[in-house]
Amino acid sequence: MSHVHTAHTEAPGHDELVPSRYALKVGDIDVLVISDGVMAIPSVTYATNATQSDLAAWLDDMFLPPEVCNWPLNVAVVRSGGQTILIDSGLGTEFPGFQRAGQLVTRMEAAGIDPASVTDVVLTHLHMDHIGGLLVEGLRGRLRQDLRVHLAAAEAEFWAAPDFSRTVMPAPVPDVLRTTASRFLDVYRSQLRPFETEYEVAPGVVMQRTGGHTAGHSIVRLESGGDRLTFAGDALFQPGFDKPDWHNGFDHDPELTTRVRIRLLTELASRGEQLVGAHLPFPSVCHVAVDGNAFRFVPVVWDY
């Protein structure tokens, strides 16, 4: 898989001590992974079915803090067949508890991406950290009127009466998730393009519903010229490689999410396919290797 810099030459100057975007190609498909920032989340949310000692040991092994972790938040811009596709939209700026996220608009501008050029939005699911950016006027007001928003039909149906009975989220997150999803559906209802199980958004860009994390959670498969990459959304978090059976507190169906995660990681390892995750360390582009009964995160070498 080749890597290229796809930012426009007319992009405004934004000096960054830490890079917030990474460009690559999947065959003829251009991909730009963009960091929306990080969110401070209680570390226990990483593994609600693990013992306290097992979680503490894993956090220590990974050099992560024991109480609160910064969860990365990644989105992507994909160009294929004359279409410009935004995969998820980050958190937005309406949530004061997460002041280090919601950077999408600024970072799209830094990359020279005009929001009016986006023809399609693909949503892995309707949690607020994946749709909030589309509700920010700095982005929403600049999007084209004929924008198409793709998501699984089951996801829109789920948020009509969401079930949080099996989640373990810090307060007041469930209420905020519910109200944000409801608002999003009201704002974008006329632009929604729901699908059932699988839909090709653009040449080589296919959404597949997995369920689990939410009822309509979906992944995005890219394939062109023999190259493949999967944007996995929230099918896995950082512990998901070496602890694939751990439940995340944001999973609405933890057992199904575990099956989805193990099946996906097994497939990616067998095919040598690359992976991008919404909450894996930026830019999160990696390979997956089998490691006994678990897996290994193998980061790609950055191509400058």
Side-chain angles (χ1 to χ4, degrees):
M1 181 175 292
S2 57
H3 301 252
V4 295
H5 180 72
T6 59
H8 296 178
T9 56
E10 67 269 20
H14 289 263
D15 292 333
E16 292 183 317
L17 293 178
V18 178
S20 64
R21 62 185 185 271
Y22 183 72
L24 62 152
K25 286 185 74 72
V26 180
D28 292 330
I29 301 173
D30 292 321
V31 181
L32 189 68
V33 183
I34 301 175
S35 170
D36 190 60
V38 296
M39 303 183 300
I41 303 288
S43 301
V44 68
T45 314
Y46 265 142
T48 60
N49 63 329
T51 66
Q52 184 176 358
S53 59
D54 284 347
L55 176 58
W58 181 84
L59 291 167
D60 186 61
D61 287 345
M62 299 299 291
F63 297 91
L64 293 172
E67 299 298 331
V68 177
C69 288
N70 287 324
W71 285 15
L73 182 52
N74 306 313
V75 304
V77 175
V78 172
R79 294 189 176 103
S80 176
Q83 294 170 242
T84 297
I85 303 152
L86 176 64
I87 303 178
D88 288 342
S89 71
L91 182 69
T93 56
E94 299 182 6
F95 308 100
F98 300 107
Q99 296 181 357
R100 298 171 63 197
Q103 305 295 318
L104 178 62
V105 176
T106 300
R107 290 173 175 175
M108 284 180 68
E109 290 175 346
I113 299 172
D114 182 357
S117 71
V118 176
T119 59
D120 300 82
V121 172
V122 163
L123 296 174
T124 59
H125 60 298
L126 296 185
H127 277 167
M128 65 187 187
D129 52 321
H130 298 259
I131 62 173
L134 290 170
L135 295 172
V136 173
E137 193 55 38
L139 180 59
R140 174 184 165 192
R142 299 165 64 186
L143 296 170
R144 52 200 296 163
Q145 294 297 310
D146 61 348
L147 179 75
R148 298 176 292 264
V149 180
H150 307 272
L151 79 169
E155 186 69 5
E157 295 167 4
F158 172 78
W159 287 99
D163 179 4
F164 291 91
S165 63
R166 306 191 63 201
T167 62
V168 185
M169 303 178 184
V173 170
D175 287 340
V176 177
L177 287 173
R178 184 184 294 108
T179 56
T180 304
S182 177
R183 179 184 167 203
F184 176 86
L185 290 170
D186 287 343
V187 170
Y188 284 96
R189 193 171 303 278
S190 65
Q191 294 166 278
L192 297 182
R193 301 295 184 268
F195 69 96
E196 293 301 324
T197 58
E198 184 172 299
Y199 180 71
E200 187 172 29
V201 178
V205 182
V206 176
M207 296 186 70
Q208 295 178 346
R209 181 170 69 86
T210 65
H213 184 67
T214 59
H217 179 274
S218 301
I219 61 176
V220 187
R221 314 301 294 259
L222 308 181
E223 183 172 359
S224 173
D227 288 341
R228 297 187 180 99
L229 181 146
T230 291
F231 188 93
D234 285 10
L236 75 158
F237 292 76
Q238 197 168 347
F241 295 90
D242 47 347
K243 303 292 184 181
D245 58 342
W246 279 5
H247 297 167
N248 187 277
F250 286 79
D251 292 336
H252 292 257
D253 187 335
E255 288 79 16
L256 177 56
T257 306
T258 297
R259 295 195 296 271
V260 167
R261 176 166 48 251
I262 293 173
R263 183 170 63 246
L264 177 62
L265 290 173
T266 300
E267 178 187 350
L268 296 180
S270 67
R271 292 169 54 162
E273 184 173 336
Q274 294 202 84
L275 166 70
V276 170
H279 297 292
L280 299 179
F282 177 81
S284 81
V285 185
C286 68
H287 290 285
V288 179
V290 174
D291 187 6
N293 294 323
F295 304 89
R296 282 190 297 114
F297 174 98
V298 184
V300 300
V301 176
W302 282 36
D303 186 346
Y304 293 95

